[in-house]
Amino acid sequence: MRISNVKIIVWLVVVTVVCGSTISVFASTDDGGKSEALAKRVAVKVDALAPLTERERWLLDRVEELEKRVADLESKGNPTAASANAGAPTVAAAAPNIFAGAASANSEPLSNDRVAAVAAQATEKGKSGAAKPQAAEPFSFADFTWLNGNSRTKDTPYATSFFTPEIRADVDYNYSFNHPADDTIGGSSEVFRSNEVHVTQLGVGGDFHYDNVRARLMTQFGLYSQTSARNDASPARGQWNLDNAYRYVSEAYGGYHFNALHGINVDAGIFMSYIGLFSYYQFDNWAYQPSYVSSNTPWFFNGVRVQIFPTEHLKIEPWFVNGWQSYGRFNNRPGFGMQILWRPNGWFSILGNQYALGEDAFGAPGRVRYHTDDSIEVKYYDNQENFLSKAAFSLTGDMGCEHGGGVSCATNHGTGANFHPKQSFLGFMLYNRLWFDKDKFGLTVGGGKINNPGRYLVLLPPINGATAASGTPYFTENPGDPFKAWDASGTFDYMPSQYITFRWEFDHRAANVPYFSGPEGITPTSCPTAPIVENICGSPGALVPGFTPDLKKIENRINLSILVKF
């Protein structure tokens, strides 16, 4: 319908509503009535129209607003369509603007990927306003809220044509059966304190989108603001305290959407990593504590990405990043990577992440890292009419290695001073999830295993305040140091609304070397050489005379959490 016709119809609707009460007078008058009485009644009704009712004023305001929007459409001539979230198509608002996507930790789902894409609705030039066929929005052909690492919300309240808000809250209680005296839990990128209620993450932000320009901001308050930053050694290079500059931000980027193919996004800033399948945000995941393959690999990248959607089923995304899980560079070479995501239908998803060439070992120039991370997710049952309403599984396999700087990628070789130990990473994780009673309840069972000689991806226990930059003599990360670990978990979810999850989880974790916090804890209670400041004796990670951290090979714990996302 042409724009001018729209104006006419809008005015007719308003006139009909405003004058409806007057017209009803004639409709309800008997033909045998007196004309004089009828005239008086009509006059009364007409006079009553002078002071408009609240609803009539609202309708007139809406007409003015619609007129402005129609005029804007006429002046622009090339409105663009709203973009779709990679995980699930949501309707935020009907407006000629771009809706930015959020991608994970691990996926921005795309939590696994919070992908944003926009389909073009450009008017073809030279054809008297004839519009081109609209390109299908990527991954909008099916509901992908069932994916592990992808948000399960189907709509966003209070979204506007300019801003799509997002609020996240992760509050949990963890109970370790090791009963650490200092309540400190190590070896996890999601769980940090025992026998206490804590805010692990509180995020407030959202997506800005207008005229193909996009930006995203998500704050990071709570334990994540301290724990994520301590696992990055790159701020130890140079000045300006990068860990403090970024600690309260989990995502912050800006970019532009190009109306080519099925959408091309170019973004720069800090955004969620996709390596490890699980999202950085626990609300998006099937379990609270992911296995080592996910928990030990990056949760964010700082750099530039290009999201290319050749079809509605495929995304190709190259990365240029400062380094592996790093705000800055560790040495002299940044990292490069690529993600390929393919979803041929609504029940199958395959994800491949590749990372290479980054010199990401702090203090070891010339040591180069490679990593491949590949996942499949299959929904093998879906019947909302039965008590078992849905079932799916995910399988992830990771391989990687380092070479140069005194280590070898393939095998141990050399002798004496020229001995180069093998430095590699090999692991997998498998999860199966069942949904019940129209997806109101969820049950997940899973786990995994890793082998990481050299420990270059093993999370350092925070003994005496140790960080990734400081290291600790109590748990070394020397070339060739052995580390093997495995875990299993059971998770039960109650989801009365799409915006909240009540979660109960049991985790069993084990390693071939003492690694998990034991009953005596990992924090010194006295310091013979200096006063204890912020529970640290001397400098972070320093050797403390007379102190030995209590590390165990096994850890069992319970997690109770409330997870919210709007």
Side-chain angles (χ1 to χ4, degrees), residues 142-322:
D143 181 359
F144 289 104
T145 56
W146 60 271
L147 288 167
N148 186 15
N150 218 42
S151 175
R152 62 182 178 83
T153 53
K154 298 178 185 294
D155 56 67
T156 304
Y158 310 117
T160 71
S161 61
F162 174 71
F163 180 61
T164 303
E166 186 171 324
I167 299 174
R168 290 179 177 267
D170 176 352
V171 182
D172 67 335
Y173 171 87
N174 299 285
Y175 182 83
S176 171
F177 289 90
N178 287 349
H179 306 109
D182 58 355
D183 291 345
T184 302
I185 294 176
S188 171
S189 56
E190 296 79 20
V191 176
F192 314 105
R193 303 279 296 184
S194 174
N195 203 27
E196 299 171 349
V197 176
H198 281 290
V199 177
T200 297
Q201 194 257 347
L202 176 65
V204 179
D207 298 290
F208 301 85
H209 31 73
Y210 186 77
D211 196 25
N212 285 43
V213 179
R214 35 191 267 122
R216 176 170 174 81
L217 171 66
M218 181 56 60
T219 62
Q220 175 173 269
F221 299 104
L223 284 172
Y224 269 171
S225 65
Q226 297 290 319
T227 55
S228 294
R230 73 164 288 278
N231 285 313
D232 175 18
S234 70
R237 173 187 172 115
Q239 304 297 312
W240 309 121
N241 297 326
L242 294 178
D243 54 345
N244 288 331
Y246 288 111
R247 70 170 63 249
Y248 299 111
V249 172
S250 61
E251 298 175 79
Y253 60 78
Y256 190 80
H257 171 82
F258 294 89
N259 295 324
L261 302 175
H262 285 253
I264 298 176
N265 299 324
V266 179
D267 302 315
I270 181 171
F271 38 82
M272 293 290 96
S273 160
Y274 311 107
I275 294 179
L277 186 66
F278 276 69
S279 170
Y280 183 75
Y281 307 117
Q282 307 309 323
F283 179 91
D284 303 340
N285 300 328
W286 293 353
Y288 196 93
Q289 173 65 68
S291 189
Y292 305 98
V293 164
S294 178
S295 188
N296 290 28
T297 52
W299 316 291
F300 67 85
F301 282 144
N302 208 357
V304 179
R305 71 178 182 192
V306 180
Q307 296 177 323
I308 304 168
F309 300 90
T311 75
E312 61 179 321
H313 300 272
L314 178 66
K315 183 187 75 164
I316 300 172
E317 181 175 312
W319 313 324
F320 171 82
V321 294
N322 291 340

Side-chain angles (χ1 to χ4, degrees), residues 90-125:
T90 61
V91 179
N97 288 313
I98 296 171
F99 284 79
S104 139
N106 279 313
S107 234
E108 190 192 307
L110 237 191
S111 93
N112 236 335
D113 186 19
R114 309 185 52 188
V115 177
V118 180
Q121 284 186 328
T123 301
E124 191 173 351
K125 294 182 178 180

Side-chain angles (χ1 to χ4, degrees), residues 323-408:
W324 181 280
Q325 171 66 35
S326 64
Y327 298 121
R329 287 188 302 164
F330 288 93
N331 296 296
N332 296 322
R333 184 189 295 171
F336 298 87
M338 166 102 46
Q339 181 194 80
I340 297 178
L341 174 65
W342 184 48
R343 293 173 181 166
N345 49 54
W347 56 267
F348 182 79
S349 177
I350 184 167
L351 178 71
N353 297 298
Q354 319 305 325
Y355 177 86
L357 302 179
E359 295 181 351
D360 300 317
F362 182 70
R367 188 176 297 175
V368 181
R369 180 171 300 171
Y370 302 88
H371 199 93
T372 179
D373 165 85
D374 306 287
S375 302
I376 62 170
E377 297 189 67
V378 177
K379 181 176 65 173
Y380 58 89
Y381 177 84
D382 193 345
N383 189 337
Q384 295 297 307
E385 300 304 317
N386 292 342
F387 179 66
L388 174 62
S389 54
K390 196 179 295 178
F393 75 84
S394 69
L395 175 63
T396 301
D398 280 43
M399 294 190 299
C401 68
E402 292 185 331
H403 74 81
V407 300
S408 171

